[in-house]
Amino acid sequence: MRVGLEAAAAFALLASGCGLGRSVYSVDRVEEGRAVLVDEHGETVTVKAADLPQPPSEGDVLVDFQADAKERERLLYDIRERRSRLLQKSGGGSAAELSLEGP
């Protein structure tokens, strides 16, 4: 879904007014001047990268359209923990074999 930042921000504001809380997106990719954002439900929103307060980078976590390093680290920690538990349940491999970071 491609929407302007104004529409995405308006939706986030509406959602927060409805008790749905803050808007949290991760930056999936940036291409041709557009940032593809993914929410916790896997829904995507495409906005002009220049419309965001800071230049986005792949992997950034945006809370209410502001980069949030603490939230990014919290989400990475959660992912590592889940991956570790899944590997333990399956009895295969180690968490070190599945790196979230590059080689």
Side-chain angles (χ1 to χ4, degrees):
M1 170 196 315
R2 290 180 186 243
V3 297
L5 182 58
E6 297 82 13
F11 176 76
L13 198 60
L14 177 64
S16 66
C18 294
L20 298 176
R22 62 194 180 150
S23 63
V24 179
Y25 292 94
S26 61
V27 179
D28 182 60
R29 61 190 178 279
V30 180
E31 55 190 19
E32 299 178 14
R34 298 203 170 271
V36 179
L37 311 178
V38 181
D39 71 10
E40 63 189 87
H41 305 289
E43 298 292 324
T44 61
V45 176
T46 302
V47 299
K48 289 182 184 176
D51 286 346
L52 293 171
Q54 300 96 7
S57 297
E58 184 178 308
D60 282 353
V61 173
L62 308 178
V63 176
D64 297 329
F65 297 97
Q66 299 286 325
D68 189 322
K70 286 184 180 180
E71 183 68 7
R72 180 180 188 276
E73 289 305 313
R74 187 191 70 75
L75 291 173
L76 284 173
Y77 177 81
D78 287 350
I79 290 168
R80 287 182 188 113
E81 289 297 308
R82 287 181 187 191
R83 181 182 60 210
S84 179
R85 285 193 306 271
L86 287 170
L87 286 170
Q88 287 175 357
K89 282 183 182 179
S90 71
S94 71
E97 294 173 4
L98 299 172
S99 174
L100 292 177
E101 309 302 324

